[in-house]
Amino acid sequence: CDWSSDVCSSDLETIPDAITLFDLDGNALYDNPAVEKLFGEPRPLGRKYSYKMTGEAAKSAAALFSQVRRTGEAAVLEYTNLRQDGSPVFIKGTVTLQHDIDGQPNGFLVVRNDVTSLTTALQELQKNESQFRALVEHNSDFITLFDHNQAIVYRNPALLAFLGDAREKAGSAPLTIHPEDLDGVRNSLRALYAGESDSADGEFRLI
């Protein structure tokens, strides 16, 4: 697509992804409307691809653009930038080398997406997982986690110490429940997996 053509510009302006065209020196030549929506402001043309990036992110971007130009292969770009209000926005996109009608490189096409919500959710999940592990690892109660197939995926140190099992693999050495208590445990687990109850209380013996 000829960047200067009306047809090309029209196509890019209807795309919801934030798209910027850079020349081979990394200067912005064109932004589609989604760029302003992404960052909350129109960004100046002529800016470098590292505009408002932190030091390390700018170095990584420079290396990535050089790699794309050297190899001709598209690459994934991930970094944190700032919106107009100063809030961070997590960006994931691709950098693709562009060519003129003679097949010579003439710039870069950068397509970006806002992955802030996903990144924040993953960070919160990791935080919650760390808090959960800190809680169960130091809990004196016996704690076991099962997957949807009722297979053991985790046992806390207190339970492993009680069982005398020092192996790290959670699925090894499954719990052996007393035969007289087995049906009751199975019924409780089935009710939980079927969504018939949120919790179940009971007692059983291990052998």
Side-chain angles (χ1 to χ4, degrees):
C1 182
D2 182 355
W3 298 359
S4 62
S5 71
D6 293 337
V7 174
C8 184
S9 297
S10 177
D11 289 342
L12 294 179
E13 294 201 356
T14 61
I15 296 176
D17 299 326
I19 294 176
T20 300
L21 300 173
F22 293 93
D23 63 21
L24 289 177
D25 294 323
N27 302 305
L29 302 176
Y30 167 84
D31 288 324
N32 73 338
V35 172
E36 180 175 349
K37 182 178 180 181
L38 175 63
F39 296 109
E41 63 176 341
R43 301 216 145 178
L45 295 181
R47 71 185 186 279
K48 291 292 186 179
Y49 50 72
S50 56
Y51 183 73
K52 288 193 175 182
M53 286 185 181
T54 61
E56 288 303 315
K59 290 180 182 178
S60 297
L64 187 140
F65 272 74
S66 296
Q67 171 190 322
V68 172
R69 183 171 183 177
R70 183 178 67 257
T71 65
E73 298 181 356
V76 175
L77 177 68
E78 295 182 279
Y79 65 99
T80 303
N81 211 283
L82 295 176
R83 292 191 174 96
Q84 184 181 28
D85 61 6
S87 63
V89 54
F90 296 93
I91 304 295
K92 183 173 184 178
T94 57
V95 179
T96 306
L97 188 65
Q98 300 296 288
H99 301 81
D100 60 23
I101 58 175
D102 297 320
Q104 297 301 311
N106 66 348
F108 302 95
L109 172 70
V110 179
V111 182
R112 304 187 290 286
N113 290 286
D114 181 357
V115 293
T116 303
S117 297
L118 176 60
T119 303
T120 302
L122 289 175
Q123 290 176 341
E124 188 64 26
L125 181 62
Q126 292 171 347
K127 176 182 176 182
N128 291 340
E129 181 179 358
S130 297
Q131 292 175 338
F132 170 78
R133 283 196 170 273
L135 175 64
V136 300
E137 293 282 334
H138 300 92
N139 200 310
S140 60
D141 295 331
F142 300 157
I143 299 175
T144 303
L145 298 181
F146 298 86
D147 65 14
H148 64 284
N149 293 317
Q150 300 184 20
I152 296 172
V153 295
Y154 173 81
R155 293 172 295 188
N156 73 331
L159 178 55
L160 291 175
F162 173 76
L163 296 173
D165 182 7
R167 284 174 287 181
E168 295 183 357
K169 291 186 177 181
S172 62
L175 298 176
T176 303
I177 299 172
H178 194 286
E180 294 178 4
D181 303 329
L182 191 56
D183 286 342
V185 173
R186 285 174 174 168
N187 290 337
S188 295
L189 289 175
R190 287 195 188 102
L192 291 172
Y193 281 105
E196 298 172 2
S197 62
D198 295 326
S199 62
D201 296 325
E203 296 180 358
F204 60 89
R205 291 164 288 177
L206 297 176
I207 57 175

